[in-house]
Amino acid sequence: MNATSDCSLGECDSSGLIQMLNEETGEFKVKYCKCREEKIYNDRLKCANIPQEFGTLTVKSFSTSLYKNEESKNIALNAKTMIINYVKNFGKFKELGKGIYFYSSTKGSGKTRLAVSLGNVLLKDLKQQVKFITSGDLLKEIKNTYNKDSKYTESQLVDSINKVNILIIDDIGAERATSWVNEILFSILDNRMKYNRITIFTSNCSVERLEHDERLKSRLTKMCIPIKMPEEDIRKYLAYKENENLQDMLLGNSNE
């Protein structure tokens, strides 16, 4: 009875609640509008900071056929199979606080692509709160809190990061492993481990080869299941393919 155009479904006043009048008793009953779930998802999506180019990716859409050699295809297939089963058994992994550590020394090998695909599924299908951030941006944001005109303190920012259900930290290990970096990352990971909050990482090296201190690497080993990714650059291949399609369009050979 309180529907307005502010509701995407036209059923409530945008509050996410619908008041129903019982004409016999004259009493009002309140129920949730379906737009409430839509708004919650949109809010989560906005906070997730998923890169636009990866916004529609899913684990099932991760194509292992993009890799050229058989070894790479097999490694990619194993990684995809493990992530599919991770999603199927997510309740157990969530209870254990076990995330994933994707690694490969080759840039463009699909690490971030698969990590974000997993994040998309957890966000959309399993209704989890997800946040994506590169390791460099995370450290930069924390450093920015030291400025006198910062809106947040270091502890406030770190606390907000620690409270995220699913945190995706991209490219850990690319930063210089100073004592400050070790302390900040250790503080975040130690807190997330204590509360069994899942963290997903991508890196250009295995945990053992990271230049960070042993305390930090110990936390990573405890928190994550390592998944090897292929040593093949598919990002370059996809870029070439995209350019070929655009060249065809410019030449008038496109079917579109």
Side-chain angles (χ1 to χ4, degrees):
M1 65 172 290
N2 54 347
T4 73
S5 59
D6 291 333
C7 171
S8 61
L9 303 174
E11 295 183 0
C12 77
D13 61 359
S14 80
S15 66
L17 300 174
I18 300 174
Q19 293 186 33
M20 307 293 294
L21 175 63
N22 186 322
E23 295 183 356
E24 292 183 2
T25 64
E27 295 178 344
F28 284 102
K29 181 180 179 181
V30 178
K31 71 172 185 178
Y32 286 126
C33 179
K34 291 181 181 179
C35 77
R36 180 175 180 269
E37 186 174 329
E38 181 181 294
K39 288 176 183 176
I40 291 173
Y41 171 72
N42 287 335
D43 286 343
R44 285 176 177 166
L45 183 61
K46 184 178 180 180
C47 293
N49 196 37
I50 300 293
Q52 187 174 356
E53 63 178 312
F54 297 143
T56 60
L57 296 180
T58 65
V59 176
K60 288 185 179 179
S61 71
F62 181 80
S63 177
T64 60
S65 64
L66 294 174
Y67 299 91
K68 297 304 180 184
N69 66 67
E70 284 304 311
E71 181 181 10
S72 293
K73 287 181 180 179
N74 289 334
I75 293 173
L77 182 59
N78 285 340
K80 181 176 181 177
T81 299
M82 292 172 74
I83 295 306
I84 289 173
N85 288 324
Y86 181 87
V87 173
K88 287 180 179 177
N89 297 282
F90 180 70
K92 181 62 176 178
F93 291 110
K94 185 179 181 182
E95 181 183 335
L96 294 171
K98 284 283 186 179
I100 303 292
Y101 185 94
F102 296 98
Y103 70 100
S104 164
S105 62
T106 302
K107 294 180 179 179
S109 64
K111 300 183 289 290
T112 301
R113 196 176 186 87
L114 189 52
V116 175
S117 296
L118 172 58
N120 285 339
V121 173
L122 296 177
L123 173 68
K124 185 175 182 180
D125 297 344
L126 299 187
K127 316 300 182 187
Q128 297 297 304
Q129 180 193 26
V130 175
K131 183 174 180 62
F132 173 92
I133 192 167
T134 66
S135 180
D137 284 345
L138 172 61
L139 295 168
K140 188 185 298 182
E141 286 188 15
I142 293 172
K143 279 187 177 180
N144 286 341
T145 65
Y146 302 157
N147 297 330
K148 63 180 182 180
D149 57 346
S150 174
K151 294 181 180 179
Y152 308 100
T153 65
E154 176 187 317
S155 61
Q156 287 173 326
L157 180 58
V158 170
D159 188 54
S160 69
I161 289 292
N162 284 335
K163 287 180 178 177
V164 174
N165 291 344
I166 312 290
L167 178 63
I168 303 174
I169 300 181
D170 189 41
D171 219 12
I172 190 170
E175 68 283 340
R176 195 159 62 92
T178 64
S179 58
W180 178 81
V181 167
N182 277 313
E183 285 300 321
I184 289 293
L185 291 180
F186 177 82
S187 173
I188 291 171
L189 300 192
D190 188 55
N191 184 282
R192 294 186 64 78
M193 188 182 77
K194 285 177 182 176
Y195 293 98
N196 278 357
R197 294 195 176 101
I198 289 176
T199 314
I200 298 166
F201 299 89
T202 72
S203 180
N204 287 334
C205 64
S206 65
V207 172
E208 294 76 18
R209 293 185 59 197
L210 285 172
E211 295 181 358
H212 299 76
D213 64 29
E214 292 302 319
R215 292 189 310 157
L216 184 60
K217 292 194 281 188
S218 175
R219 291 296 182 274
L220 284 167
T221 301
K222 172 64 177 174
M223 294 169 66
C224 301
I225 304 164
I227 294 185
K228 171 70 175 165
M229 293 296 289
E231 299 296 342
E232 185 177 328
D233 186 349
I234 59 169
R235 183 164 56 207
K236 187 182 295 183
Y237 166 75
L238 288 171
Y240 285 147
K241 192 68 177 175
E242 181 181 51
N243 285 339
E244 285 177 4
N245 292 336
L246 292 174
Q247 285 173 339
D248 285 341
M249 183 180 73
L250 292 173
L251 290 168
N253 298 328
S254 174
N255 293 324
E256 296 181 0

